[in-house]
Amino acid sequence: MGIEDDGGLAAELREVVRGEVRFDATARALMTMDASNYRRVPLGVVAPRDAEDVAAVLEVCRARGTPVVARGGGTSIAGQATGTGVVLDFTRHMNGLLELDPDGRTARVQPGLVLDRLQAAAAPHGLRFGPDPSTHGRCTLGGMIGNNSCGAHSVAWGTTADSVRELSVLTARGERLRLGRDWSGAPEGLRTLVEGELARLRTGFPELPRRISGYALDALLPEHGADVARSFCGSEGTLGVLTEAVLDLVEAPAVHALAVLGYADESAAADAASGLLPYGPLTVEGMAADLIRAPIGLPKGGAWLFVETGGASEGEARARAEAVVRAADAVDALVVTDPLAQRGLWRLREDASGTATRMPDGTEAWPGWEDCAVPPARLGAYLRDFRALLTAHGLRGAPYGHFGEGCVHVRIDFDLLTEAGVARFRRFSEEQADLVVSHGGSLSGEHGDGQARAELLPRMYGAEMVALFERAKAVWDPDDLLNPGMLVRPARLDDNLRFAVLPRRPVDVAFGYPHDDGDFRAAVRRCVGVAKCRTESGGGSAVMCPSFRATGEEEHSTRGRARLLHEMLAGEVITDGWRSTEVRDALDLCLSCKGCRSDCPVGVDMATYKAEFLHHHYAGRLRPAAHYSLGSLPVWLRWVARARAAPLVNRLAAVGPLARLGKRMGGIAREREIPRLASGTFSRWWRARPPAPESGGSGQLVVLWPDTFTEHLSPSVGRAAVRVLESARLRVALPPTLLPGRRPVADGTSRTPAALLGARRAQVCCGLTYISTGRLDRARAVLRRTLDLMEPVLEAGVPVVVLEPSCAAALRADLPDLLPDDPRASRLAATVHTFAETLRQYAPHWAPPALNLPVTGQTHCHQHAVLGDTADRDLRTSAALTGPLTGGCCGLAGNFGFEKGHFDVSRTCAEDQLLPALHSAPENAAILADGYSCRTQIEQLTGIRARHLAEVLAEGLEREGRE
């Protein structure tokens, strides 16, 4: 059912709701899934502005019998954040921190507030909210209350229910309740129900710290304070709609230390975990080795416990961590007190929900049994039985999680694409439920039951207790309006699987998708919805996702775009396939920064997906003007260079009316200045140099790649690079020539390889501008020509130095992906080095000039995502350039920031990290940006001239008078 046949529901809601009411295909497609295996298509989405809007939605939907689903960050793993009626999106408006009381240690919040925002506000007062799921950068407090979330620190501070003081709730029938202790806010009939079932409630719940399954009716027992607010936690939006919460805060230790303990396997780690609880740790987290691809910095072992301790000083925190190490019977151990090192280790754990979705061999793995919990003392025995059950079903999984509380997360390589695989998923799920119960455990220890486990609750609680749950639901929501099919009267665990709607056969695509067996469907399935791309602030070196941080819109997040591509393949909500305007519009603000390629825990590469989509979307059709003007930039610039017309072009671009006309015709943002062309190209300068003496360089021969930006727009970077590389005694050549300082001539008298004779005007190109605009046929043609020109270089095995990070990334990643059947593509990709990598590998004993300067600036997003910047950081350190460069994205991102309609988002992206870093930089700081786009953005927004690292080093060599 769509907006055209919703029976007037959308119109009726718009009359009474002040927030956004969206029943369009994009809004519905974005909400079909959470982070689970399930998919439901809603009628529409409402972003309420306040509790009055929520009440209005409930009234309209109640009159029509339309279900209502409350949704926060959409990171639920059991399916409870999906529904077929109206979805309430609390992240748009009802996301405020209303009050922080440091003296009373409480916070009053709205349900859409992201946890990290609360933590940031509480931190200056030495306070924090105790529970902290690994999704803390994007999960909302309302979602945490709905699922009774826990997180790594629950051994110290408990679950969300332990931190809830009061809840403001609207029932489906419009009753406004304020829930608290001593039956405060209880709906009529709830107390009578409980008092008639005291014996059952006192004996029917397992005793363990992570029992999340079912309704927490035992919190209503008189000995537990008849706590209605606590009982509401974990009800998954099925009892009422939360509009406000008063939460307790805890005192945060001033300093943390981290003891990392190595064990033979995860069962041994699990056996040891409960024995560490008497030492008062803040965390006892476990991870198995098969989850970690590169266990750098970890002690020896096949599994590890991360045990965090706190104190008023580093010495106190370390002493507690060392006491844990002494008490632990570990294979190996280390204690980490450096905050950055701790952060790096914790990132391994926090990204596990994503990295676990791929087995080491690339096989897909899925949630479903994501967070069972057993008594901590039984965890080791449970894990051994669990491994045996996996083996019996021919399945694999990598356990990790909250070992100190007996809670295990795992993604399992279920086959959810075939009928036989789904049948095995069901059989395993039933036996797994029985196994958990046999160990005295809970089917859910953190993420709730949702659709994944609710069907199996009778195996844990028995039929009579489940019937009591149904009676409680009827007290709160007699019309079954709120999130029906969850917890009580649930849908079957193998219905509504999100993969069932995808095409049965592979889709014809242009890229090779080598990590997904060439299957675009598998590439799209990579996004499991953990939503790291929705983190509101990148921080550190993170890049993903600049357009979401600029707009706050789900459709402009990596997850949102992946959802739209999924629905495009499904063809139910988005029906136009590759011609879809919904997908096109969502991808329009994708900067192709490739940040998701590295920052997304499952390696979604939206830049590639965007190029693929544009390739199909515009096949046989007229493209936007910018695709021709900016996408064909190498061609235009070569024509200008051959005509030696750069000065004329610069003069014309300086004439206001002509510049405005040119920008309008080229689809370029009116706010942008047209960059000046260099009066002479880098290659022309190179050819004019005196031939290098044969003995001029004793080191490795390297080929310096004349990328379009260095060649035509910033040849000073190329000249500086030559200066530095030759100072390091490397022999430099330009393609297609292999001899330093030589060039092919028509009579063949040079010693240039014969294959290159007459190639003077031929120019290599990485195809970047064609790839970013989705002109993939043209990109392949350009790359094949480039491979032809580079054959002598490949045959000689000469390393290729690429100064522009985006071009280096295109050659290293996009080239072999576009030409997977040409062995030369992977050979060239393997020869590509960045400027700093070249010096590190081929001139390891060369000492750069000692510059003794602070630095700031931008690490290129493609360098972060594809190339890595370790060599650059080491080179800066060797040159006494101190200080980090910012992460994030400069916002220009090649053609993106120049395209019409993108300027505001481009500038907002720069304001996230880059511009604040420039404004706070010391006066004498060197401003570094190896990417031409980054340098252009900095100059156009601030007037500051940033430089490539090669330029700064070359200047230092000149000052020192070095050759």
Side-chain angles (χ1 to χ4, degrees):
M1 180 181 292
I3 186 170
E4 70 282 354
D5 59 350
D6 64 17
L9 175 59
E12 190 172 352
L13 287 170
R14 290 192 181 99
E15 289 181 0
V16 296
V17 171
R18 292 181 297 111
E20 291 85 357
V21 176
R22 292 187 58 183
F23 277 56
D24 57 280
T26 295
R28 297 169 62 224
L30 292 170
M31 298 295 172
T32 56
M33 292 172 276
D34 50 15
S36 71
N37 297 328
Y38 301 101
R39 172 184 177 272
R40 292 179 181 82
V41 180
L43 294 177
V45 182
V46 176
R49 289 193 174 274
D50 51 27
E52 299 303 321
D53 270 359
V54 175
V57 171
L58 290 172
E59 183 177 357
V60 170
C61 290
R62 181 172 65 251
R64 289 173 166 265
T66 302
V68 176
V69 178
R71 180 175 168 120
T75 56
S76 296
I77 295 180
Q80 60 267 56
T82 67
T84 57
V86 171
V87 173
L88 293 175
D89 177 8
F90 286 103
T91 63
R92 293 290 296 147
H93 302 298
M94 294 183 67
N95 57 11
L97 172 58
L98 303 178
E99 182 182 358
L100 183 70
D101 179 3
D103 296 330
R105 295 186 179 179
T106 61
R108 188 164 59 92
V109 305
Q110 292 181 309
L113 179 68
V114 170
L115 173 59
D116 269 2
R117 289 178 55 199
L118 173 59
Q119 304 290 40
H125 305 285
L127 301 174
R128 57 164 291 155
F129 188 64
D132 58 342
S134 60
T135 55
H136 52 81
R138 59 270 192 196
C139 70
T140 65
L141 273 303
M144 291 179 65
I145 291 167
N147 291 342
N148 194 11
S149 300
C150 309
H153 290 87
S154 60
V155 293
W157 297 312
T159 71
T160 297
D162 295 310
S163 297
V164 165
R165 182 172 293 191
E166 292 181 347
L167 300 176
S168 296
V169 169
L170 275 165
T171 70
R173 291 192 170 180
E175 189 177 4
R176 298 172 187 258
L177 305 176
R178 191 166 185 84
L179 314 183
R181 293 175 63 87
D182 298 323
W183 295 109
S184 177
E188 184 179 356
L190 183 62
R191 182 169 186 172
T192 300
L193 174 68
V194 168
E195 289 179 345
E197 297 284 353
L198 293 177
R200 190 181 308 283
L201 294 178
R202 286 181 172 128
T203 59
F205 292 90
E207 290 294 329
L208 69 162
R210 285 296 193 96
R211 189 258 302 160
I212 305 298
S213 283
Y215 290 132
L217 297 181
D218 56 328
L220 298 172
L221 290 167
E223 58 266 32
H224 295 157
D227 195 335
V228 183
R230 185 184 185 94
S231 177
F232 187 87
C233 294
S235 59
E236 302 180 16
T238 62
L239 302 182
V241 179
L242 177 72
T243 59
E244 194 174 296
V246 177
L247 307 174
D248 290 321
L249 305 176
V250 297
E251 185 175 356
V255 181
H256 296 85
L258 182 62
V260 185
L261 313 175
Y263 293 88
D265 56 36
E266 84 267 6
S267 294
D271 287 333
S274 62
L276 302 177
L277 297 179
Y279 293 87
L282 301 177
T283 72
V284 183
E285 297 290 289
M287 294 183 69
D290 47 6
L291 185 64
I292 301 176
R293 307 295 183 253
I296 299 172
L298 293 173
K300 293 180 294 185
W304 297 271
L305 291 179
F306 285 25
V307 184
E308 186 179 74
T309 58
S313 66
E314 180 178 326
E316 182 180 351
R318 172 180 280 277
R320 290 176 176 171
E322 289 173 344
V324 168
V325 171
R326 289 192 297 271
D329 184 18
V331 173
D332 193 14
L334 62 87
V335 172
V336 182
T337 55
D338 176 65
L340 287 178
Q342 289 183 53
R343 182 68 248 152
L345 289 168
W346 275 120
R347 192 172 296 116
L348 292 174
R349 166 64 185 86
E350 291 179 355
D351 286 349
S353 61
T355 56
T357 64
R358 286 294 188 277
M359 296 286 120
D361 63 0
T363 303
E364 294 170 299
W366 306 106
W369 287 96
E370 180 66 21
D371 63 315
C372 301
V374 298
R378 296 188 61 89
L379 182 59
Y382 163 72
L383 282 176
R384 285 184 280 272
D385 289 345
F386 172 70
R387 285 284 193 182
L389 183 63
L390 285 175
T391 300
H393 284 270
L395 297 169
R396 295 174 298 163
Y400 66 99
H402 314 292
F403 281 19
E405 292 203 296
C407 182
V408 175
H409 298 313
V410 64
R411 300 288 173 112
I412 300 172
D413 64 340
F414 297 120
D415 168 16
L416 299 178
L417 304 176
T418 68
E419 186 176 335
V422 172
R424 180 169 62 166
F425 168 59
R426 168 168 284 280
R427 291 193 302 272
F428 174 86
S429 298
E430 292 169 346
E431 293 182 33
Q432 167 68 359
D434 292 338
L435 174 63
V436 173
V437 172
S438 73
H439 282 274
S442 173
L443 304 186
S444 172
E446 179 161 24
H447 296 303
D449 300 306
Q451 183 176 348
R453 290 175 288 269
E455 181 190 352
L456 302 172
L457 285 177
R459 294 172 181 257
M460 175 181 170
Y461 284 114
E464 292 181 348
M465 180 65 81
V466 170
L468 183 56
F469 291 162
E470 294 180 3
R471 291 164 59 197
K473 161 76 167 173
V475 168
W476 284 89
D477 179 21
D479 306 308
D480 200 19
L481 194 74
L482 301 177
N483 214 2
M486 301 296 155
L487 282 178
V488 299
R489 296 181 292 279
R492 290 169 55 87
L493 62 86
D494 49 359
D495 287 344
N496 305 315
L497 292 173
R498 66 187 179 102
F499 319 101
V501 296
L502 294 177
R504 289 294 174 235
R505 295 181 179 179
V507 180
D508 289 334
V509 286
F511 282 98
Y513 301 100
H515 301 296
D516 296 293
D517 296 325
D519 190 343
F520 186 68
R521 299 170 304 170
V524 171
R525 286 199 303 266
R526 278 184 174 272
C527 179
V528 293
V530 295
K532 189 177 179 183
C533 51
R534 281 183 57 97
T535 302
E536 294 185 346
S537 178
S541 63
V543 173
M544 180 183 72
C545 175
S547 53
F548 172 75
R549 290 200 295 273
T551 66
E553 296 279 359
E554 172 78 11
E555 66 196 87
H556 299 306
S557 69
T558 304
R559 180 181 72 173
R561 294 175 179 123
R563 291 290 179 260
L564 290 169
L565 287 168
H566 186 284
E567 295 303 323
M568 180 193 80
L569 293 178
E572 180 183 348
V573 181
I574 294 175
T575 57
D576 295 334
W578 294 112
R579 299 295 197 190
S580 164
T581 56
E582 296 89 356
V583 178
R584 180 202 65 196
D585 292 346
L587 288 171
D588 180 58
L589 291 189
C590 171
L591 287 84
S592 296
C593 68
K594 288 188 178 288
C596 48
R597 180 185 172 106
S598 60
D599 294 351
C600 172
V602 294
V604 168
D605 186 356
M606 194 53 63
T608 297
Y609 305 170
K610 176 181 180 179
E612 184 77 62
F613 176 83
L614 293 177
H615 168 73
H616 295 279
H617 184 75
Y618 288 110
R621 297 201 292 180
L622 190 67
R623 289 171 165 270
H627 286 201
Y628 301 107
S629 61
L630 299 172
S632 298
L633 192 64
V635 173
W636 307 132
L637 293 180
R638 280 200 297 272
W639 286 357
V640 170
R642 288 171 186 170
R644 299 181 182 264
L648 175 61
V649 171
N650 289 336
R651 286 197 296 272
L652 293 176
V655 178
L658 291 178
R660 288 191 291 273
L661 176 62
K663 286 187 284 188
R664 189 179 306 117
M665 293 177 61
I668 297 171
R670 60 178 176 78
E671 299 91 343
R672 286 292 175 190
E673 299 174 25
I674 298 177
R676 290 182 60 81
L677 306 184
S679 57
T681 66
F682 170 58
S683 294
R684 189 175 300 156
W685 169 84
W686 172 263
R687 289 194 297 270
R689 293 180 80 208
E694 294 298 322
S695 59
S698 58
Q700 169 73 45
L701 174 64
V702 298
V703 168
L704 184 60
W705 185 274
D707 64 84
T708 295
F709 306 101
T710 301
E711 176 76 355
H712 301 282
L713 295 162
S714 54
S716 61
V717 172
R719 296 194 296 267
V722 171
R723 173 76 173 86
V724 175
L725 294 171
E726 290 184 342
S727 173
R729 297 297 184 260
L730 298 176
R731 295 178 294 139
V732 182
L734 263 63
T737 294
L738 276 181
L739 298 178
R742 305 272 181 178
R743 60 186 184 274
V745 293
D747 62 6
T749 56
S750 83
R751 285 172 287 168
T752 302
L756 302 180
L757 296 181
R760 179 173 181 177
R761 287 189 177 274
Q763 187 164 344
V764 294
C765 180
C766 69
L768 172 67
T769 60
Y770 305 109
I771 295 169
S772 63
T773 53
R775 298 169 66 188
L776 300 184
D777 290 335
R778 177 64 178 157
R780 279 192 290 244
V782 167
L783 289 170
R784 286 194 185 98
R785 184 192 69 196
T786 293
L787 291 174
D788 291 340
L789 292 168
M790 292 294 289
E791 274 195 13
V793 177
L794 297 177
E795 291 171 3
V798 179
V800 177
V801 188
V802 185
L803 300 174
E804 173 61 41
S806 57
C807 296
L811 290 169
R812 194 176 285 183
D814 296 325
L815 167 62
D817 207 1
L818 271 174
L819 299 176
D821 298 326
D822 190 331
R824 300 175 303 172
S826 57
R827 287 170 58 197
L828 177 54
T831 69
V832 169
H833 296 73
T834 67
F835 174 70
E837 287 172 344
T838 302
L839 291 170
R840 179 178 64 180
Q841 183 165 346
Y842 297 108
H845 303 299
W846 176 74
L851 300 175
N852 297 307
L853 286 172
V855 297
T856 191
Q858 177 84 52
T859 297
H860 195 286
C861 48
H862 287 190
Q863 179 145 17
H864 166 83
V866 179
L867 308 168
D869 67 340
T870 301
D872 296 76
R873 286 186 277 111
D874 291 345
L875 181 56
R876 293 198 301 269
T877 299
S878 299
L881 293 170
T882 58
L885 304 188
T886 70
C889 180
C890 73
L892 193 62
N895 56 290
F896 175 85
F898 273 96
E899 291 181 2
K900 181 180 178 180
H902 290 174
F903 179 78
D904 289 340
V905 170
S906 175
R907 181 174 55 191
T908 302
C909 290
E911 291 169 346
D912 182 42
Q913 295 190 56
L914 176 57
L915 297 189
L918 296 176
H919 294 325
S920 62
E923 195 170 315
N924 64 332
I927 310 301
L928 294 179
D930 282 2
Y932 176 77
S933 292
C934 306
R935 296 194 297 273
T936 302
Q937 181 81 314
I938 290 170
E939 184 169 9
Q940 293 201 357
L941 294 185
T942 69
I944 297 171
R945 180 179 178 269
R947 293 181 291 172
H948 193 287
L949 179 57
E951 294 180 284
V952 176
L953 293 178
E955 183 181 282
L957 291 174
E958 294 294 334
R959 283 202 303 267
E960 291 185 2
R962 289 165 59 176
E963 293 183 1

